[in-house]
Amino acid sequence: MSTRSAKTAFKSYVDPYRVDGSKTFRLRNHDTNASGGLHKETGKRIIEVNRRRLQELQEKLYAQDRWSLLLIFQGMDAAGKDSAIEAVFDGINPQGCEVHSFKQPSSNELDHDFMWRSTIALPQRGRIGIFNRSYYEECLVVRVHPEILAKQKIPQELVTKHIWKERFEDIAAFEKYLARNGTVVLKFFLNVSKEEQRDRFLDRLDEPAKNWKFSMADVSERALWDQYQHAYEDMIGHTATAHAPWHVVPADRKWFARVVIGSSIVHALEQLDLKFPVVDGDDLKEFKMVREALEKEGGPAAKKARSRVRAKKKLSRSRNRSAD
């Protein structure tokens, strides 16, 4: 599939899974096993087209140095967050992309507000920041396990029955602040079924190379499935906005999850009209002088060889554009 035809399919791969707060959100209305009407092989081709386009857009994002992109991944254990990040960003220049995985807070982190450790990891302009779990854990695992909240050193009079609503408000305000300062925020909830999670846990137990991924804590958390589903529904419903939308990604089919994630990221970056910086006239004059000096260094034979190389590169770029 070409880049052009992939663009026309964005509505099929992005819009049905995008939640922006304009409608009442119900998690049960989102199919975990959806495939968008695609066959797996077609999906793989779309993933590759998105990957190539993302490489181009990331280079422009970095060079332009105006916008930044924050991608947040949330989901139950074994939903496929790690593998999705690896697959979607395969081949992306690591110089302009950084992944942060947020585990159990340290004592130092607990001595700050609940968003502090995420705030200091935000991407710089021109960069892509990826949060594998995030400050949203404070409205999920902490909500399901209130004993964790009791250890967070928050003044007792501030821990009221409204604390989750207040945290939703804080997060929404924070993400609006980021958007107003040039950070594009996209959030992905990998929506896996309980049955598929079970199968993936069994795979981890059956394959020695995957044993390290399994923890008995995963089983304990699985027993709290319904509480987590309620927490996710409430959280997404209260924090989905037009400037920081959630994408409820069908995660039972890993390949289709990657179609949705990659298409959503590319679509968002396309809206920014990213361009390489334009070099001014004075610099162009200097470049011309430098070129002339460099070309004189190698003599006539070297100059001819360089001309042939440049001609081949130009032809290759032309063919690539025609293929897209």
Side-chain angles (χ1 to χ4, degrees), residues 37-272:
L38 297 175
H39 294 294
K40 187 173 183 178
E41 290 307 310
T42 303
K44 288 182 177 179
R45 289 196 292 272
I46 294 171
I47 292 168
E48 184 54 38
V49 169
N50 282 335
R51 190 179 287 138
R52 292 203 306 270
R53 185 59 180 148
L54 181 55
Q55 290 170 356
E56 297 169 1
L57 290 167
Q58 186 261 343
E59 187 176 5
K60 292 179 180 179
L61 178 78
Y62 185 84
Q64 192 182 65
D65 198 26
R66 290 292 184 270
W67 297 92
S68 58
L69 179 63
L70 174 62
L71 306 173
I72 294 174
F73 290 82
Q74 293 286 161
M76 296 292 287
D77 295 319
K81 298 181 293 298
D82 293 358
S83 60
I85 292 168
E86 181 180 3
V88 171
F89 289 90
D90 183 30
I92 299 300
N93 186 349
Q95 182 172 289
C97 185
E98 190 168 5
V99 181
H100 295 275
S101 296
F102 295 97
K103 307 293 185 181
Q104 183 175 340
S106 66
S107 58
N108 179 48
E109 290 167 343
L110 288 173
D111 274 333
H112 293 83
D113 62 272
F114 79 90
M115 297 183 69
W116 176 78
R117 64 175 182 165
S118 299
T119 303
I120 61 175
L122 289 170
Q124 298 172 275
R125 298 192 189 281
R127 270 68 166 183
I128 297 174
I130 302 171
F131 285 1
N132 188 346
R133 301 190 188 274
S134 66
Y135 43 81
Y136 279 105
E137 291 295 294
E138 296 295 328
C139 303
L140 294 166
V141 64
V142 178
R143 186 173 184 175
V144 174
H145 294 278
E147 66 275 12
I148 298 177
L149 184 63
K151 298 177 181 178
Q152 292 192 343
K153 305 180 182 180
I154 303 170
Q156 193 58 44
E157 60 268 29
L158 300 180
V159 183
T160 70
K161 63 180 181 180
H162 303 297
I163 189 168
W164 309 118
K165 180 176 180 292
E166 290 167 353
R167 286 193 170 184
F168 295 151
E169 291 172 350
D170 293 339
I171 289 172
F174 176 67
E175 290 175 346
K176 190 171 187 178
Y177 163 80
L178 291 178
R180 285 175 167 171
N181 283 273
T183 297
V184 177
V185 182
L186 298 180
K187 302 172 293 192
F188 299 95
F189 168 54
L190 275 67
N191 188 23
V192 69
S193 67
K194 193 174 183 179
E195 294 74 19
E196 179 63 22
Q197 187 198 56
R198 172 184 173 274
D199 290 343
R200 293 179 186 179
F201 279 170
L202 289 172
D203 285 343
R204 290 179 179 182
L205 292 170
D206 290 341
E207 296 185 34
K210 292 183 178 181
N211 285 172
W212 67 273
K213 289 186 174 184
F214 188 79
S215 167
M216 290 306 296
D218 296 339
V219 178
S220 300
E221 294 302 283
R222 177 176 167 80
L224 300 170
W225 183 273
D226 291 342
Q227 291 96 311
Y228 272 107
Q229 296 300 292
H230 171 72
Y232 269 111
E233 180 175 273
D234 200 30
M235 180 193 75
I236 293 171
H238 281 90
T239 60
T241 61
H243 55 266
W246 277 99
H247 297 79
V248 181
V249 181
D252 284 2
R253 304 172 192 256
K254 287 188 175 183
W255 63 268
F256 187 65
R258 295 163 190 175
V259 168
V260 174
I261 294 167
S263 297
S264 300
I265 296 169
V266 168
H267 181 57
L269 289 175
E270 293 278 9
Q271 309 311 303
L272 302 182

